[in-house]
Amino acid sequence: MLRILIILDEEEIRTMLRQVLIDEGYDVEEAADPAEGTELYRKKPADLIITDMIMPKKEGTETIMDLKREFPNVKIIAISEGARVGPEPYLEIADGLGADRIFTKPFSVAELLDAIQRILT
């Protein structure tokens, strides 16, 4: 069974994503912040990480850089709704850091599932 790690500080979105992914047959682990997510990944690597770009304790750019430095082949989907400047700058950085796919919130669950399938096959 393919394993996905969700790193999102927004509990409502994290819970919704977890349930959708479980319904699709994925094993899902979740973390409320990047430090917890990175530690979970170190202990039991996932096939894919879905991470938010803007979080209180550590931004997604740092998370992606740290994970890619330690695990160069890690697969990552970055999501963002942006802050005052909108999501584009954050997602462009994520793309440049090696994210496999980027999404602007709100996004279509169908598009996300399609991206996951493409990345993991």
Side-chain angles (χ1 to χ4, degrees):
M1 179 180 294
L2 294 171
R3 195 163 167 277
I4 298 175
L5 171 60
I6 302 169
I7 305 173
L8 285 164
D9 62 319
E10 298 170 84
E11 184 177 0
E12 187 175 304
I13 296 173
R14 196 173 62 242
T15 301
M16 180 273 301
L17 281 176
R18 182 191 64 216
Q19 192 57 56
V20 166
L21 295 171
I22 288 171
D23 290 348
E24 290 294 317
Y26 295 104
D27 179 22
V28 180
E29 187 88 38
E30 59 182 282
D33 67 71
E36 178 188 1
T38 302
E39 190 58 34
L40 286 171
Y41 190 85
R42 283 184 185 122
K43 289 179 182 176
K44 188 175 178 187
D47 297 290
L48 174 70
I49 294 174
I50 299 173
T51 187
D52 201 352
M53 291 302 294
I54 301 173
M55 291 180 274
K57 295 181 182 177
K58 184 178 184 181
E59 290 202 355
T61 52
E62 296 170 277
T63 304
I64 293 171
M65 285 189 313
D66 291 347
L67 286 165
K68 285 288 189 177
R69 187 178 310 115
E70 195 169 340
F71 309 99
N73 296 322
V74 64
K75 303 290 185 199
I76 298 174
I77 292 178
I79 60 175
S80 181
E81 64 187 350
R84 288 176 236 145
V85 297
E88 291 81 13
Y90 295 97
L91 294 174
E92 287 174 14
I93 291 169
D95 189 42
L97 292 172
D100 295 274
R101 188 69 198 270
I102 54 176
F103 282 97
T104 301
K105 290 187 224 172
F107 50 83
S108 155
V109 171
E111 286 180 312
L112 178 66
L113 292 173
D114 181 60
I116 291 168
Q117 185 178 12
R118 288 176 188 267
I119 291 168
L120 294 178
T121 56

